[in-house]
């Protein structure tokens, strides 16, 4: 089976600090890394191909530096990867991002299963996977826990649906967003790193895509618009319980009594 | 929409690194004397504000939608075999508030199989109309027929805004429908407001919660958003049933699916911290076994549960289902005590709408005190045992 995993480069720490004076986001010392949720998807893809045969490719959208995570995925065992990178993709919301990735996937080839991580740690929306499947016109299931019984044209998956676990049969091609913590992602092999060459990484830009309407990409293709950004409000009505440990515990005890918790 | 324009004539070799450093995402590149903006750009427009005219924002003329054709605030009824998820009622309460601004009706959309009894319940939450797709094919949640019904409803009714609970189901369905409608979708909104021109103002934490983003979809309809459970307050049900039930029909061939559900089993019942009325949370400053045991004792005395921050889960000290925060659960208890928790934004995002928050921390500048209602600057290991003793003593005297 041919599996494609959608991955993303995210800031190494989600603790992006905002300078209270200038309002500028501080990025000193923040490095990029692969979105941690994507590692579970890559691991699932690799173990499926080990069991049932086939190959794993990866795809990402981002700046040219996003090549780094493609290399990392190849070191984990992926065969090759694609980077979708173009100035025209800048400022994309969920809609435009998903559309761009769906165009890129069609460029990258045909796949039986497309895997996504549960969500990214920077955007945190968990929505792009489902929108990609819509643009590709294939079924999707989210919060996938396991894939078993790979047949010629279908697979059996289990997925978490809030307080239920559903087991279902899905025809391929399909897109699955896998849950976090479902396996132990393998470490990249540094032996493989020596042999990763640029020809294993395809770079696609707007001009490579089938849809040549620039209004469908980036900011132009986005339906949502950020009207303003502002710092989170701090709690105004704050009281403090001061004194030594005896006085503080007494103050807290009285509060608990007032609230009728004991 | 618009685009960023770099005025190359204003760029000098000396100035370039300074402009590059303005971008928190490293999206500004400088090669061959050309300053360029790569696809890492998130359109935060900080470069426009700070570059002194080197980068400017230029508005494009764009197609607009006739907003008067789209009316109503709709809530998707999240349910499992007819058991309605409570987030639905919370959203209906919010929908009513939003609809008041524009004078729009409140709609509920429910799809499933043999859901007649559940539909009746919705009539106690101030809806004007409940649209129902009741078909055997909709018994199990499968993405294609559910998307088809949702889109059929949108085409026939043309609602202006659609609120969906951010459950595992809603997080699949909302994006799929929004993509088919080429409409805007904002995930995990924490505040919703309505403009008089029917634009839905959606506010959500961005950049890991360090900043709030106010988002609108001014040129597309319907406007989709998802909201997590326990962000809004559930209204009390009305005694009298009100509102009209509208049974919807759809062509059979739209209800086919490449998915067949083999079984749906209940997950083993775990302690669900998001349901608790009292939460005692421990962080790095209270992770010793002794303090964790005391925290558990306190939680038991108060009829609550113990929760924790991410480092305790990563350190395999506590199970992930106890974790509060963006990568864990969202809680909204009536009373919460935070022990030795610094209060990273990701944690705060998962608990700050709790009714009453008490924080105990030795560091008086810990950000947890920004969200806490009661601040106790002190040592958990000294306060906690004394508090437990007082509660026990008080109970013994009753």
């Amino acid at each position: 089976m041919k599996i494609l995993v959608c991955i993303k480069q995210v800031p190494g720490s989600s603790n992006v600090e905002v300078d209270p004076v200038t309002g500028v986001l501080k990025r000193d010392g923040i490095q990029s890394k692969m979105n941690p949720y994507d590692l579970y998807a890559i691991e699932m893809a690799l173990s499926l191909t080990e069991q049932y045969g086939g190959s794993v490719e990866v795809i990402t959208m981002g700046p040219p530096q996003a090549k780094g995570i493609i290399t990392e995925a190849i070191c984990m065992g992926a065969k090759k990867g694609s980077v979708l990178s173009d100035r025209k993709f800048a400022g994309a919301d969920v809609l435009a991002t998903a559309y761009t990735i769906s165009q890129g996937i069609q460029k990258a080839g045909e796949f039986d299963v497309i895997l996504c991580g549960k969500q990214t740690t920077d955007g945190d929306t968990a929505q792009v996977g489902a929108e990609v499947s819509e643009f590709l016109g294939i079924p999707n299931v989210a919060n996938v826990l396991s894939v078993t019984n790979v047949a010629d044209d279908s697979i059996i998956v289990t997925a978490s649906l809030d307080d239920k676990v559903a087991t279902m049969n899905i025809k391929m091609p399909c897109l699955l967003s896998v849950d976090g913590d479902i396996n132990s992602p393998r470490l990249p092999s540094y032996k493989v790193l020596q042999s990763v060459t640029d020809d294993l990484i395809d770079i696609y830009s707007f001009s490579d895509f089938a849809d040549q309407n620039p209004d469908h990409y980036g900011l132009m293709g986005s339906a949502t618009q950020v009207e303003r950004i502002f710092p989170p409000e701090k709690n105004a009505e704050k009281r403090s319980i001061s004194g030594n440990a005896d006085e503080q515990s007494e103050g807290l005890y009285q509060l608990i009594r007032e609230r009728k918790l004991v | 929409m618009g685009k960023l324009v770099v005025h190359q004539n204003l760029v000098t070799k000396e100035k370039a690194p300074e402009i590059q450093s303005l971008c928190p995402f490293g999206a500004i590149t400088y090669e061959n004397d050309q300053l360029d903006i790569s696809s890492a750009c998130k359109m935060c427009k900080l470069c426009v504000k700070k570059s002194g005219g080197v980068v400017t924002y230029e508005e494009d003329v764009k197609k607009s939608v006739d907003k008067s054709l789209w009316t109503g605030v709709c809530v998707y009824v999240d349910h499992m075999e007819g058991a309605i998820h409570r987030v639905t009622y919370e959203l209906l309460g919010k929908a009513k508030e939003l609809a008041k601004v524009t004078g729009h009706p409140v709609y509920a959309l429910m799809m499933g199989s043999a859901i007649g009894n559940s539909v009746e319940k919705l009539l106690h939450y101030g809806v004007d109309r409940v649209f129902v797709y009741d078909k055997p094919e909709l018994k199990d949640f499968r993405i294609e027929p559910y998307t088809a019904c949702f889109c059929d409803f949108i085409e026939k009714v043309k609602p202006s805004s659609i609120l969906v609970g951010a459950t595992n189901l809603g997080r699949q369905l909302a994006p799929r429908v929004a993509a088919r409608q080429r409409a805007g979708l904002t995930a995990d909104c924490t505040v919703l407001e309505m403009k008089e021109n029917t634009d839905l103002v959606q506010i959500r934490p961005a950049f890991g919660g360090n900043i709030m983003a106010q988002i609108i979809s001014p040129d597309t309809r319907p406007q989709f958003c998802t909201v997590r459970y326990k962000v809004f307050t559930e209204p009390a049900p009305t005694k009298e049933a009100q509102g009209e039930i509208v049974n919807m029909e759809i062509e059979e061939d739209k209800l086919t699916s490449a998915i067949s559900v083999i079984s749906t089993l209940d997950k083993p019942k775990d302690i669900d911290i998001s349901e608790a009325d009292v939460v005692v949370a421990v962080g790095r400053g209270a992770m010793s076994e002794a303090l964790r045991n005391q925290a558990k004792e306190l939680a038991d005395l108060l009829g609550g549960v113990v929760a924790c921050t991410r480092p305790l889960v990563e350190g395999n000290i506590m199970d992930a289902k106890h974790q509060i925060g963006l990568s864990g659960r969202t809680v909204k208890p009536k009373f919460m005590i935070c022990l030795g928790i610094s209060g990273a934004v990701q944690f705060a995002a998962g608990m700050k709408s709790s009714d009453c928050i008490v924080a105990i921390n030795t560091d008086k500048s810990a950000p947890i005190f920004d969200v806490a209602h009661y601040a106790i600057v002190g040592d958990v290991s000294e306060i906690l045992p004394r508090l437990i003793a007082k509660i026990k003593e008080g109970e013994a005297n009753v």
Side-chain angles (χ1 to χ4, degrees):
Chain A
M1 67 198 299
K2 280 189 77 182
I3 305 179
L4 178 71
V5 186
C6 303
I7 60 178
K8 187 182 180 190
Q9 190 180 45
V10 297
S13 158
S14 46
N15 259 331
V16 185
E17 272 188 63
V18 183
D19 187 313
V21 182
T22 60
V24 173
L25 293 152
K26 297 181 195 167
R27 61 180 199 99
D28 295 347
I30 295 178
Q31 295 194 324
S32 300
K33 63 172 183 185
M34 178 152 12
N35 173 40
Y37 289 100
D38 299 343
L39 296 170
Y40 302 111
I42 293 177
E43 178 59 38
M44 178 184 264
L46 293 171
S47 51
L48 277 173
T49 52
E50 280 162 5
Q51 203 178 341
Y52 298 99
S55 63
V56 177
E57 292 182 29
V58 291
I59 192 167
T60 191
M61 167 176 152
Q65 306 90 284
K67 262 168 72 173
I69 59 165
I70 301 284
T71 305
E72 188 183 339
I74 293 172
C75 291
M76 286 175 75
K79 194 179 74 179
K80 56 177 289 212
S82 313
V83 182
L84 313 175
S85 192
D86 199 303
R87 168 93 192 271
K88 288 194 173 68
F89 305 157
D93 71 350
V94 170
L95 184 71
T97 302
Y99 189 72
T100 308
I101 293 172
S102 71
Q103 284 286 316
I105 289 174
Q106 291 170 58
K107 187 74 199 170
E110 285 191 8
F111 300 92
D112 301 309
V113 176
I114 297 167
L115 293 180
C116 299
K118 183 187 180 191
Q119 64 195 64
T120 59
T121 52
D122 58 348
D124 223 1
T125 68
Q127 294 176 157
V128 173
E131 294 217 357
V132 168
S133 66
E134 171 63 25
F135 289 127
L136 294 174
I138 58 175
N140 72 299
V141 176
N143 306 98
V144 168
L145 304 169
S146 68
V147 174
T148 54
N149 291 44
V150 175
D152 281 348
D153 65 342
S154 69
I155 51 175
I156 291 181
V157 309
T158 61
S160 156
L161 210 50
D162 298 297
D163 54 356
K164 307 265 183 186
V165 175
T167 305
M168 49 200 128
N169 185 298
I170 308 170
K171 290 205 179 92
M172 294 188 282
C174 60
L175 182 146
L176 311 175
S177 302
V178 306
D179 231 345
D181 283 330
I182 53 161
N183 52 36
S184 304
R186 65 195 67 185
L187 293 169
S189 150
Y190 286 93
K191 221 165 149 188
V192 177
L193 183 62
Q194 314 300 325
S195 61
V196 180
T197 48
D198 268 356
D199 60 330
L200 295 177
I201 305 174
D202 292 320
I203 312 270
Y204 296 118
S205 63
F206 171 73
S207 59
D208 295 310
F209 288 173
D211 181 355
Q212 283 295 304
N213 185 344
D215 289 356
H216 292 160
Y217 301 91
L219 195 60
M220 285 298 287
S222 300
T224 58
Q225 187 179 315
V226 177
E227 217 176 13
R228 67 181 180 117
I229 53 175
F230 56 97
E233 60 189 75
K234 296 191 172 182
N235 209 318
E237 38 175 349
K238 198 188 317 171
R239 270 174 272 176
S240 89
I241 302 173
S242 51
N244 60 31
D246 275 322
E247 290 157 349
Q248 287 177 321
S249 55
E250 178 62 24
L252 181 51
Y253 176 58
Q254 291 306 330
L255 177 67
I256 287 170
R257 280 181 53 120
E258 272 169 40
R259 299 241 155 199
K260 300 189 172 59
L261 296 170
V262 289
Chain B
M1 296 286 119
K3 56 176 185 267
L4 298 179
V5 177
V6 181
H7 301 275
Q8 302 291 354
N9 54 331
L10 300 176
V11 183
T12 58
K13 259 201 183 66
E14 294 70 36
K15 225 172 161 185
E18 189 190 318
I19 294 168
Q20 282 181 284
S21 72
L22 291 173
C23 180
F25 305 102
I28 303 179
T29 56
Y30 186 65
E31 268 171 46
N32 308 326
D33 297 335
Q34 287 279 312
L35 196 72
D36 210 351
I37 298 171
S38 76
S39 49
C41 172
K42 299 260 195 274
M43 274 293 164
C44 69
K45 297 183 207 156
L46 280 170
C47 54
V48 177
K49 282 183 204 151
K50 308 272 175 189
S51 69
V54 175
V55 184
T56 56
Y57 177 72
E58 296 192 8
E59 201 80 41
D60 283 321
V61 187
K62 52 177 174 183
K63 68 264 169 197
S64 201
V65 66
D66 184 354
K67 293 173 188 174
S68 66
L69 298 177
W70 299 82
T71 53
V73 181
C74 176
V75 173
Y76 173 76
V77 179
D78 194 297
H79 71 98
M80 203 53 90
E81 286 160 10
I84 295 173
H85 194 294
R86 304 214 79 85
V87 71
T88 307
Y89 301 130
E90 296 172 356
L91 294 181
L92 282 171
K94 177 54 73 175
K96 214 175 166 191
E97 281 174 34
L98 297 171
K100 219 176 262 175
V101 178
T102 48
H104 278 191
V106 174
Y107 299 146
L109 168 64
M110 188 164 186
M111 49 189 93
S113 174
I115 50 175
N117 289 339
S118 312
V119 169
E120 298 286 336
K121 286 186 193 150
L122 297 166
L123 299 179
H124 295 273
Y125 289 89
V127 288
D128 294 293
R129 282 187 195 166
V130 184
F131 295 89
V132 182
Y133 290 84
D134 196 332
K135 301 276 169 198
E137 292 91 338
L138 299 171
K139 182 180 171 291
D140 297 304
F141 169 65
R142 292 178 301 169
I143 194 71
E144 310 100 311
Y146 270 62
T147 307
C149 289
F150 213 132
C151 291
D152 181 74
F153 160 76
I154 291 168
E155 276 144 33
K156 288 173 180 162
V157 179
K158 295 201 183 302
S160 179
S161 298
I162 298 176
L163 282 47
V164 180
T167 61
N168 285 3
L169 189 158
R171 282 171 179 279
Q172 299 177 64
L173 185 57
R176 188 96 199 200
V177 176
R180 192 166 297 179
Q181 302 291 327
R182 294 254 176 183
L185 166 61
T186 308
D188 294 331
C189 297
T190 53
V191 177
L192 292 175
E193 286 160 13
M194 185 63 79
K195 290 191 185 181
E196 283 178 5
N197 72 355
T198 74
D199 281 353
L200 181 66
V201 177
Q202 303 153 116
I203 297 175
R204 76 177 303 252
F207 304 128
N210 294 274
I211 265 193
M212 303 301 286
Q214 179 169 324
I215 296 162
I216 52 169
S217 302
D219 306 300
T220 52
R221 288 293 183 269
Q223 312 162 83
F224 288 88
C225 66
T226 64
V227 180
R228 288 195 193 193
Y229 179 37
K230 294 210 170 194
V231 168
F232 296 137
T233 309
E234 184 178 323
T238 57
K239 274 213 182 81
E240 298 291 313
Q242 59 166 58
E244 179 194 351
I245 294 170
V246 184
N247 286 303
M248 302 293 282
E249 287 303 325
I250 184 168
E251 298 86 337
E252 292 281 318
D253 62 347
K254 288 190 178 168
L255 299 178
T256 56
S257 174
I259 301 171
S260 55
V261 175
I262 299 162
S263 69
T264 312
L265 301 172
D266 285 329
K267 266 188 208 167
K269 273 267 177 271
D270 275 326
I271 297 166
D272 188 354
I273 58 168
S274 62
E275 294 284 343
D277 282 335
V278 176
V279 173
V280 179
V282 293
R284 250 189 297 214
M287 65 198 281
S288 72
E289 196 181 349
L291 285 177
R292 279 185 287 122
N293 287 339
Q294 287 174 22
K296 174 82 176 88
E297 190 177 2
L298 177 63
D300 288 342
L301 287 167
L302 301 178
V305 297
V306 177
C308 67
T309 60
R310 186 152 133 178
L312 276 81
V313 172
E314 286 178 347
N316 286 323
I317 295 166
M318 284 181 75
D319 191 275
K321 56 180 175 277
H322 293 280
Q323 188 196 328
I324 293 173
L326 280 183
S327 52
R329 299 295 186 93
T330 303
V331 298
K332 196 188 171 194
K334 293 193 170 73
F335 192 77
M336 175 162 189
I337 301 182
C338 300
L339 305 170
I341 293 174
S342 62
V345 284
Q346 293 85 346
F347 174 79
M351 49 67 80
K352 65 184 169 198
S353 45
S354 306
D355 291 352
C356 178
I357 301 165
V358 179
I360 307 178
N361 201 307
T362 46
D363 175 8
K364 68 175 191 303
S365 60
I368 191 71
F369 291 128
D370 294 336
V371 293
H373 303 95
Y374 292 90
I376 301 179
V377 179
D379 190 339
V380 173
S381 64
E382 290 188 13
I383 297 167
L384 198 51
R386 287 176 169 83
L387 175 65
I388 291 170
K390 280 177 203 292
I391 295 172
K392 283 185 174 166
E393 197 182 314
E395 287 190 343
N397 291 339
V398 173

